[in-house]
Amino acid sequence: MNALVATNRNFKLAARLLRLDSKLEKSLLIPFREIKVECTIPKDDGTLASFVGFRVQHDNARGPMKGGIRYHPEVDPDEVNALAQLMTWKTAVANIPYGGAKGGIGCNPGELSVSELERLTRVFTQKIHDLIGVHTDVPAPDMGTGPQTMAWILDEYSKFHGYSPAVVTGKPIDLGGSLGRDAATGRGVLFATEALLNEHGKTISGQRFVIQGFGNVGAWAAQLISEQGGKVVAVSDITGAVKNSKGIDIPSLLKHAKEHKGVKGFHGVDPIDPKSILVEDCDILIPAALGGVINRENANDIKAKFIIEAANHPTDPEADEILSKKGVVILPDIYANSGGVTVSYFEWVQNIQGFLWDEEKVNSELKNYMTKGFKDVKEMCKTHDCDLRMGAFTLGVNRVARATVLRGWEA
């Protein structure tokens, strides 16, 4: 099931639980604006190349729209729509004053030189500069983009509007980026996991974890969990998968993955088939890679008691049903991975104030937001007698619906 169908399905279930008016329900689904632009650049060899750039701005009832920009060859409009909509609910669940957006350019960043990527980013910014802004729509990095991409967008945007560091987040520290932003999503996953385990009378210490994905989020989550005494027994990434039932030495694995661009070939572990990573024996499974990886084919074989969705949309609705019958507790993506956008919000606040926070303040504020977020989700679960995913969706949708009605926008 694709991401858009699944997201719409969750939205409709939440709308039904909240007894939303059908006109309001319909208007909440329609994106505020969809932008599609042609970006033509001279390549290094002098030939011209054209790429399609786009931005879906989903909703701005609660504040400026917020969401990543990805550079990827298969940029599917449906997926971007789903991710923009997910950002609307995610920012509402986190209770930060944003709406949702998502965008990107259909290109293969690996096949472009740094100077070609810079030209492409600047042309894209020229095409959309009057449609984004500090109080309109604030982009951030996503797949295939990073702090340098944000620096180029900031510079190009500032040529038109004056120096505006708050127009993008995820910037390099030297240009107004926030301390703690790099670890934010992984650290949010840690705080979310602590809040959930606390509810069940457990702590991270001594629990066995399996982590699928060892990019930014998976690697930080592994590091922070092992520092808290959690035992990471298996890890996978695009190069392969490794396992050690006594617990993997995470600091050494991080060093190895950095040097060898992946976990493959690490010593003191057994290599395993990456396809089997999700069904390895553990207490807590953290999918931190792609969407749709937990589905009806493998859901029955999952041994974890808890699943923390660090990736976007890793669990298909069919798998959701199978797992809930087995009594597996799933902490949904729109809450579990909201640490990144929360610290993006802190970065934006620091830029607007022109006042830099120290890292300790960033991390303690993040913990406050994640802990309060979990309480709010649980409250909705009690009110509507539903699981955590519907608790989070009803919380997010309800906040956006209330803002929409208060602003007098309902149809």
Side-chain angles (χ1 to χ4, degrees):
M1 185 182 287
N2 81 13
L4 187 61
V5 175
T7 308
N8 284 347
R9 178 177 180 271
N10 286 329
F11 168 77
K12 289 195 165 102
L13 288 170
R16 202 170 304 151
L17 281 175
L18 293 163
R19 298 198 169 89
L20 289 191
D21 173 74
S22 61
K23 279 185 185 162
L24 177 59
E25 182 183 330
K26 199 175 163 194
S27 79
L28 286 176
L29 268 189
I30 300 166
F32 168 75
R33 177 162 53 198
E34 293 189 35
I35 303 149
K36 196 172 184 183
V37 292
E38 185 187 27
C39 303
T40 303
I41 58 157
K43 300 271 296 266
D44 293 344
D45 62 8
T47 60
L48 289 178
S50 279
F51 303 91
V52 176
F54 51 87
R55 186 81 175 153
V56 174
Q57 299 175 327
H58 179 258
D59 190 278
N60 60 358
R62 297 180 63 258
M65 294 162 287
K66 186 91 192 77
I69 286 181
R70 54 176 54 182
Y71 288 2
H72 193 267
E74 288 122 45
V75 178
D76 168 34
D78 269 2
E79 188 183 23
V80 175
N81 246 308
L83 292 170
Q85 190 197 132
L86 265 180
M87 284 303 293
T88 298
W89 316 134
K90 186 184 291 186
T91 50
V93 169
N95 210 12
I96 54 181
Y98 287 141
K102 205 75 173 185
I105 299 174
C107 68
N108 188 341
E111 290 173 4
L112 297 170
S113 70
V114 174
S115 58
E116 287 167 343
L117 283 169
E118 177 175 353
R119 288 196 288 275
L120 182 55
T121 304
R122 289 182 183 278
V123 168
F124 181 50
T125 309
Q126 286 164 18
K127 298 276 176 119
I128 65 164
H129 75 88
D130 51 354
L131 300 167
I132 60 172
V134 176
H135 300 291
T136 315
D137 177 4
V138 181
D142 201 304
M143 281 160 60
T145 58
Q148 181 59 69
T149 323
M150 298 305 109
W152 292 327
I153 295 175
L154 162 61
D155 182 68
E156 199 60 33
Y157 180 87
S158 296
K159 290 175 186 174
F160 296 94
H161 302 274
Y163 184 60
S164 319
V167 72
V168 286
T169 57
K171 298 181 293 294
I173 303 289
D174 295 329
L175 285 177
S178 176
L179 298 167
R181 175 65 189 86
D182 189 47
T185 310
R187 195 176 294 276
V189 167
L190 170 82
F191 293 148
T193 307
E194 282 180 333
L196 177 66
L197 290 176
N198 191 21
E199 178 85 10
H200 290 264
K202 302 176 193 290
T203 60
I204 296 236
S205 185
Q207 299 292 324
R208 294 168 308 135
F209 290 81
V210 165
I211 301 175
Q212 182 198 37
F214 208 63
N216 172 283
V217 181
W220 273 110
Q223 181 181 331
L224 296 165
I225 282 163
S226 71
E227 282 170 11
Q228 295 288 327
K231 209 155 75 167
V232 180
V233 295
V235 168
S236 74
D237 67 7
I238 45 173
T239 64
V242 295
K243 171 186 176 180
N244 180 346
S245 45
K246 292 191 178 72
I248 297 169
D249 175 358
I250 295 297
S252 303
L253 179 60
L254 286 162
K255 198 163 165 256
H256 172 91
K258 202 172 178 182
E259 285 165 10
H260 299 86
K261 303 265 189 292
V263 301
K264 194 178 176 186
F266 181 58
H267 298 296
V269 292
D270 301 316
I272 54 170
D273 178 5
K275 289 194 182 74
S276 74
I277 188 88
L278 298 166
V279 299
E280 286 296 329
D281 188 26
C282 65
D283 303 308
I284 298 156
L285 172 62
I286 303 181
L290 296 168
V293 292
I294 299 173
N295 47 45
R296 60 167 179 246
E297 272 79 61
N298 59 13
N300 276 313
D301 303 323
I302 285 176
K303 299 174 185 70
K305 300 169 196 70
F306 301 96
I307 295 175
I308 315 289
E309 295 188 335
N312 280 321
H313 181 63
T315 316
D316 265 2
E318 293 108 326
D320 248 351
E321 281 177 31
I322 296 167
L323 291 162
S324 80
K325 283 193 184 115
K326 285 173 61 170
V328 178
V329 177
I330 301 176
L331 199 58
D333 52 1
I334 61 168
Y335 163 69
N337 67 25
S338 63
V341 71
T342 303
V343 175
S344 275
Y345 163 60
F346 299 163
E347 179 178 335
W348 181 77
V349 167
Q350 292 169 75
N351 294 154
I352 289 172
Q353 289 186 333
F355 182 81
L356 189 67
W357 299 358
D358 61 30
E359 192 163 352
E360 207 180 323
K361 179 172 167 74
V362 173
N363 293 342
S364 77
E365 286 289 345
L366 174 60
K367 185 163 193 171
N368 291 343
Y369 270 81
M370 295 301 296
T371 311
K372 176 81 170 71
F374 186 75
K375 283 200 185 86
D376 293 345
V377 170
K378 285 300 290 185
E379 206 55 46
M380 285 308 247
C381 294
K382 284 197 190 89
T383 306
H384 297 289
D385 186 25
C386 59
D387 64 6
L388 288 163
R389 188 179 311 282
M390 270 307 111
F393 261 89
T394 50
L395 177 64
V397 171
N398 192 41
R399 282 179 173 155
V400 178
R402 276 168 41 193
T404 305
V405 170
L406 284 167
R407 291 184 71 163
W409 290 359
E410 79 274 32

